[in-house]
Amino acid sequence: MPWELTVGIVALVIGVAALATAVVGMRRTRQRAASRTTAAPRSGPPRTGPQIAVVVNPSKENTDRIVDTARRVCAEAALPDPLFYDTTVDDPGTGQARAALAAGADVVVAAGGDGTVRAVAEGLTGTDTPMGIVPAGTGNLLARNLDIPLADVGEAMAVVIGGRDRRIDVGRARITPVPDDGTAPGDVAPEAVTSEDVAPEGPGDEQDAHIFLVIAGLGFDAAMVADADDHLKAKMGWVAYFLAGARHLHGRRMKAQITIDDETPVAARLRSILVGNTGRLPGGITLLPDAIIDDGILDVAAIDTRGGLAGWAQLFGEVVAQGMGVQNEAKLRIGRIDHVRARHIRIDVEGGEQAQVDGDVLGRASCMESWVEPGALVVRAPA
């Protein structure tokens, strides 16, 4: 047999095998997708009750366990089989939440990290449909502040089914991005928002605004989030953020002009400024001890240190103390946190600083403007 014919037959065999493998793979993918968007076959009497939809971040390691546990818990409660929607890179949860609403879901569950929770909340804000949470991320900020179980999917689903509905405030943040390196001085990057465009009607203008449920920040905290290594976050959890923060302990203090509500702007030198809806963070840290998630007010913390590591050490001590209800009344401090409350705040920063909302990095910004939408979101909280 000529070698050309031999090669041709081998190539044909390989091609047929590859085609068969692709067909099997496509069937398995379709079966998996169908299992997350349609009800599984069941026997016994029909189930009645609220329809639960689960928006799942498939990049998380325990996705299959979340799906299986959600099905089991709903079956044990004699509820209809849950609907499942996978997030994508292009749509981290907002479109899926709205699709669940259109499908008649009575509760929409965000199963993922803080980014998934934010995206699902974006789709549910302004509606009466509650959002449940199955934590599956690094920070799980809102879940911590609502006392939702963090480590047990079954217990978190029990809150979804048997918890109470609670209206909470929603924060909004808009930034003016710092022009890219390729932008000439005086030019404006295409995606940038001019200072005149930032919330021109004041609080409530949602165009180009980013939702946050816990804390938005500008400065050191955002730089720490931006530099956190994804591999370390997967292995070490929230500790990875503190390791990233160590690289910025000796960074420069930012020059900021802060405008609270309708008051006169105030100039300040700071390390970071945080605008919060509630203040509990991983590691037992409480940055905003007076923040209440449904009081219609944002709590602001202006953080500054001087004196190198000594200033950071004093600052850490002050954070721990205020979490225990103890306030440092000393006038001379090299590490300090000053608190104020506002419904609307604007922060202009010379040269730009990193900005973040609930641990999602927005990029470098020369201005961040934030406001509150009281009672705009319904969440399913522990009874």
Side-chain angles (χ1 to χ4, degrees):
M1 179 182 295
W3 71 270
E4 294 92 343
L5 181 58
T6 303
V7 172
I9 292 174
V10 171
L12 178 62
V13 171
I14 293 175
V16 171
L19 179 61
T21 301
V23 170
V24 171
M26 290 175 63
R27 287 177 178 173
R28 288 178 177 174
T29 300
R30 289 173 180 172
Q31 290 172 354
R32 184 178 182 186
S35 71
R36 292 195 184 178
T37 56
T38 61
R42 61 177 182 265
S43 58
R47 302 182 202 163
T48 60
Q51 176 66 66
I52 293 175
V54 184
V55 178
V56 183
N57 183 343
S59 69
K60 301 301 180 182
E61 293 182 358
N62 59 347
T63 297
D64 291 336
R65 181 161 60 91
I66 291 173
V67 171
D68 293 341
T69 303
R71 283 204 172 107
R72 174 181 60 79
V73 172
C74 286
E76 292 173 350
L79 297 179
D81 293 295
L83 306 174
F84 294 94
Y85 300 85
D86 281 356
T87 65
T88 65
V89 174
D90 294 330
D91 190 342
T94 301
Q96 293 84 345
R98 290 170 179 163
L101 289 178
D106 298 294
V107 182
V108 181
V109 179
D114 295 316
T116 304
V117 172
R118 283 185 57 244
V120 172
E122 182 72 62
L124 298 178
T125 293
T127 75
D128 292 326
T129 301
M131 178 181 72
I133 302 175
V134 173
T138 304
N140 301 313
L141 296 177
L142 183 60
R144 292 175 189 275
N145 283 274
L146 293 175
D147 294 320
I148 292 173
L150 302 178
D152 191 301
V153 176
E155 291 181 0
M157 281 300 302
V159 173
V160 170
I161 292 175
R164 66 184 179 96
D165 289 344
R166 179 180 180 185
R167 282 200 171 273
I168 67 171
D169 303 333
V170 166
R172 296 277 182 180
R174 295 183 69 188
I175 68 168
T176 302
V178 173
D180 295 333
D181 293 338
T183 304
D187 291 343
V188 179
E191 71 277 12
V193 183
T194 64
S195 59
E196 290 79 7
D197 290 333
V198 178
E201 302 299 328
D205 183 0
E206 298 179 12
Q207 184 180 4
D208 298 327
H210 302 271
I211 193 173
F212 66 92
L213 306 171
V214 181
I215 288 180
L218 197 64
F220 171 83
D221 68 295
M224 176 179 66
V225 171
D227 285 353
D229 183 84
D230 290 337
H231 180 68
L232 286 179
K233 285 196 294 182
K235 294 184 63 176
M236 305 177 64
W238 56 267
V239 177
Y241 291 120
F242 288 91
L243 295 178
R247 295 194 291 269
H248 295 277
L249 292 180
H250 298 286
R252 66 180 180 86
R253 299 159 72 208
M254 63 182 182
K255 296 180 180 180
Q257 180 173 273
I258 304 168
T259 307
I260 300 291
D261 294 327
D262 296 325
E263 298 179 7
T264 303
V266 175
R269 293 290 298 269
L270 304 167
R271 297 287 182 182
S272 185
I273 186 161
L274 302 171
V275 182
N277 196 27
T278 185
R280 196 187 310 171
L281 301 181
I285 294 175
T286 301
L287 278 175
L288 302 168
D290 297 326
I292 300 174
I293 203 168
D294 56 2
D295 62 354
I297 299 289
L298 294 173
D299 285 63
V300 181
I303 299 175
D304 191 26
T305 66
R306 290 169 292 173
L309 291 178
W312 285 107
Q314 181 179 315
L315 177 64
F316 180 76
E318 186 161 336
V319 169
V320 173
Q322 73 176 15
M324 300 170 62
V326 178
Q327 296 292 330
N328 186 349
E329 302 298 337
K331 293 183 178 181
L332 296 177
R333 288 175 284 170
I334 55 177
R336 61 183 297 148
I337 305 179
D338 295 315
H339 297 276
V340 68
R341 312 188 78 203
R343 287 183 172 84
H344 179 267
I345 179 172
R346 173 170 174 148
I347 309 152
D348 291 279
V349 182
E350 182 178 306
E353 291 285 343
Q354 288 283 0
Q356 63 86 19
V357 287
D358 288 353
D360 283 347
V361 180
L362 302 181
R364 290 181 63 82
S366 60
C367 174
M368 184 175 77
E369 191 156 0
S370 301
W371 61 95
V372 63
E373 297 178 6
L377 178 66
V378 182
V379 295
R380 187 61 58 89

